[in-house]
Amino acid sequence: MKQTKKHSDVVMSVEHVDKDFRVGTQTVSVLKDVSTQIGEGDFFVIFGPSGSGKSTLLHTLLGLEQPTRGKVILLEKEFSAMNQDEAAEFRKSRVGMVYQQPYWIKSLSVIENVAFPLFLLGQLPSLAYGRAGEMLKVVGMEDWRNYSPTELSAGQQQRISLARALINDPAILVADEPTGNLDTQSGEELMQLLAELNKDQGRTIVMVTHDLEYLKYATRMIRVVDGRVENEYGQKEIDKIFKQMGGKRGSRRVQALEVAGDTKNKHIASKNGNVKVQRKISLEKEKNAK
């Protein structure tokens, strides 16, 4: 039985966070009074329909976006009070990132790309390459160390991306829709790796997803709808939701859950997903214009 986490076990705390964007002459509230905690050893999933604000929440957690109001505390440091340079330095040494689409230095081999974060930290090449080789073994990609990453399949590239995220022994491993570009088998294999890192090594993982199939790996989950945390789930509640699904993808039950997060919340209409997608597109265009 999982013990209740003490305050000292909390690695990240979000306190009454709001995030507003200016769109023309209007202010759009994307995050609204978000509060939650992430404990050491959690497999913490941020779940919600497209356009719900979950990616904005993740970026705010990582200091990529400053909250309009509220605090983000990571490892007892007020992350939200740091400037961009300070936040980047902190992420570089304490956070590992796996993105939906991995980014590579194309002139470098697999092992050189994996070792690169240690070069940025001033590590000696011999030690950096040794550590990179160890991480490639962890993800089962040591035989491809001298290949170019772009020569490999999407699933193999995500495994290498995971090795690179682990290279600095991060306090928190963050995965932003890591299976979004993968086929079913490759996605499941990547999730198995993340689950092993969580269970066997006690890694704290924060993952954003809209795919209900992967809720079975979570130990805690929040459901974000229209910029608010509508529900927070523990392990037993997550297991119950997954059993209700019956593993039948494409069923009305699964489709409804993926759009609304929980069919018990009658006030959440399916059409909201499309409205929020359009709003998200508008926000992205506004940010790019700046």
Side-chain angles (χ1 to χ4, degrees):
M1 184 175 179
K2 197 167 184 176
Q3 296 181 350
T4 303
K5 295 183 182 298
K6 301 176 183 178
H7 179 73
S8 58
D9 295 327
V10 174
V11 296
M12 177 173 281
S13 178
V14 183
E15 301 176 4
H16 304 291
V17 163
D18 297 333
K19 180 61 182 177
D20 300 338
F21 289 100
R22 292 290 295 177
V23 181
T25 59
Q26 296 183 328
T27 299
V28 178
S29 298
V30 179
L31 297 180
K32 305 163 188 174
D33 196 26
V34 174
S35 295
T36 191
Q37 291 184 334
I38 299 169
E40 184 177 0
D42 277 345
F43 196 132
F44 188 92
V45 169
I46 301 171
F47 174 79
S50 296
S52 61
K54 58 186 185 296
S55 290
T56 300
L57 174 57
L58 183 67
H59 293 164
T60 305
L61 294 179
L62 295 174
L64 298 170
E65 295 279 3
Q66 286 291 319
T68 306
R69 290 168 291 278
K71 293 181 181 180
V72 177
I73 299 171
L74 175 60
L75 301 172
E76 300 183 350
K77 302 282 187 180
E78 190 176 339
F79 211 19
S80 52
M82 298 180 187
N83 62 38
Q84 290 187 351
D85 290 340
E86 292 170 335
E89 283 297 316
F90 197 76
R91 284 193 300 272
K92 191 164 64 176
S93 60
R94 307 311 304 272
V95 179
M97 278 292 307
V98 180
Y99 298 95
Q100 181 175 336
Q101 178 66 48
Y103 299 96
W104 307 113
I105 301 174
K106 294 182 180 180
S107 61
L108 301 183
S109 67
V110 163
I111 194 165
E112 289 170 334
N113 268 282
V114 172
F116 191 75
L118 292 186
F119 297 153
L120 296 178
L121 292 171
Q123 188 67 267
L124 292 173
S126 59
L127 296 176
Y129 286 132
R131 173 73 176 169
E134 292 174 7
M135 294 303 97
L136 287 172
K137 286 182 180 178
V138 168
V139 300
M141 291 298 294
E142 65 270 28
D143 292 340
W144 284 266
R145 58 190 288 146
N146 295 320
Y147 281 69
S148 169
T150 55
E151 295 178 303
L152 306 178
S153 70
Q156 290 173 319
Q157 289 189 46
Q158 277 299 62
R159 284 172 172 262
I160 296 165
S161 180
L162 177 56
R164 182 174 59 184
L166 293 168
I167 193 74
N168 62 345
D169 192 22
I172 297 179
L173 181 63
V174 178
D176 187 4
E177 299 277 9
T179 63
N181 291 334
L182 304 184
D183 59 72
T184 302
Q185 180 176 342
S186 297
E188 191 65 32
E189 289 172 354
L190 182 69
M191 291 303 303
Q192 288 281 358
L193 275 173
L194 290 172
E196 289 170 9
L197 290 168
N198 175 249
K199 292 179 180 179
D200 299 342
Q201 297 185 18
R203 294 275 179 188
T204 303
I205 297 174
V206 179
M207 185 177 79
V208 168
T209 187
H210 65 271
D211 195 328
L212 284 167
E213 286 294 323
Y214 300 135
L215 299 190
K216 60 187 176 185
Y217 296 106
T219 60
R220 290 185 58 233
M221 180 181 81
I222 58 173
R223 183 173 66 87
V224 180
V225 176
D226 197 23
R228 299 183 185 275
V229 176
E230 287 287 322
N231 297 89
E232 188 158 348
Y233 302 90
Q235 183 74 72
K236 290 183 179 179
E237 293 166 307
I238 294 169
D239 291 343
K240 183 178 179 181
I241 291 172
F242 194 76
K243 286 178 181 178
Q244 287 177 336
M245 288 168 51
K248 297 178 181 178
R249 299 202 49 82
S251 69
R252 291 183 179 180
R253 170 67 177 167
V254 173
Q255 289 176 356
L257 281 167
E258 287 182 335
V259 171
D262 187 346
T263 53
K264 292 180 180 178
N265 288 273
K266 302 296 184 182
H267 64 283
I268 304 171
S270 297
K271 63 181 181 181
N272 282 355
N274 292 328
V275 173
K276 290 166 193 163
V277 170
Q278 293 302 317
R279 186 182 70 183
K280 187 175 182 181
I281 291 172
S282 298
L283 290 174
E284 290 299 325
K285 286 181 178 178
E286 179 71 12
K287 289 178 70 178
N288 290 336
K290 293 178 181 178

